[in-house]
């Protein structure tokens, strides 16, 4: 078995990993600057941290401009849902509440170019 510390271990083991790497845009960070930097550094996507009170409301009036920024930069997006939400809860009411409140396509999320987007959540 190849060591995970060996930079060539994947190739030696016949493993072909095609990973898209991204960077997180946290609260207080400039979205446009972070997307520009991500594009300059060849990241495939940005992860928008939507945690904390009124997280969705903070971006509600900026969705169109955020979509344009992503499209212009050719960068995808994933959304990090609140840490306290557990979409895998064994309790049906909790799970249904989390899934129902999650921002998901098409009404509550941003969209990115096909093949360059994802959702780090239950939808």
């Amino acid at each position: 078995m190849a060591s995970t510390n060996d930079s060539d271990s994947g190739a030696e083991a016949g493993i072909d990993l095609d990973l898209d790497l991204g960077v997180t845009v946290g609260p207080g960070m400039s979205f446009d600057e972070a997307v520009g930097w991500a594009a300059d550094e060849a990241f495939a996507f940005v992860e928008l941290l939507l945690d904390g009170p009124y997280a969705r409301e903070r971006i509600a009036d900026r969705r169109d401009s955020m979509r344009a920024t992503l499209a212009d930069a050719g960068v995808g997006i994933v959304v990090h849902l609140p840490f306290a939400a557990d979409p895998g809860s064994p309790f049906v009411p909790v799970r249904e509440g989390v899934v129902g409140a999650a921002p998901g396509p098409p009404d509550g999320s941003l969209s990115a170019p096909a093949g360059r987007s994802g959702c780090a959540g239950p939808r």
Side-chain angles (χ1 to χ4, degrees), residues 24 26-27 47-53 55 79-88 98 120:
T24 300
E47 175 192 38
L48 183 60
L49 182 58
L50 283 182
D51 196 26
V79 175
H80 192 292
L81 301 176
F83 291 96
D86 182 7
V98 171

Side-chain angles (χ1 to χ4, degrees), residues 3-121:
S3 167
T4 58
N5 293 329
D6 181 359
S7 63
D8 294 325
S9 64
E12 290 174 10
I15 299 171
D16 181 22
L17 296 177
D18 184 17
L19 300 176
D20 288 337
L21 298 178
V23 61
T24 300
V25 181
M29 295 175 70
S30 166
F31 184 80
D32 292 350
E33 288 178 21
V35 170
W37 181 82
D40 291 345
E41 298 298 321
F43 283 98
F45 63 90
V46 294
E47 175 192 38
L48 183 60
L49 182 58
L50 283 182
D51 196 26
Y54 308 106
R56 283 191 275 173
E57 289 82 353
R58 289 194 308 257
I59 66 164
D61 62 341
R62 298 178 41 220
R63 281 190 263 178
D64 290 338
S65 67
M66 293 170 87
R67 284 184 186 109
T69 299
L70 291 165
D72 291 346
V75 173
I77 188 167
V78 296
V79 175
H80 192 292
L81 301 176
F83 291 96
D86 182 7
S89 173
F91 303 105
V92 173
V94 173
R95 187 173 58 248
E96 288 176 348
V98 171
V99 171
D107 58 347
S109 71
L110 298 168
S111 60
R116 304 283 295 203
S117 63
C119 181

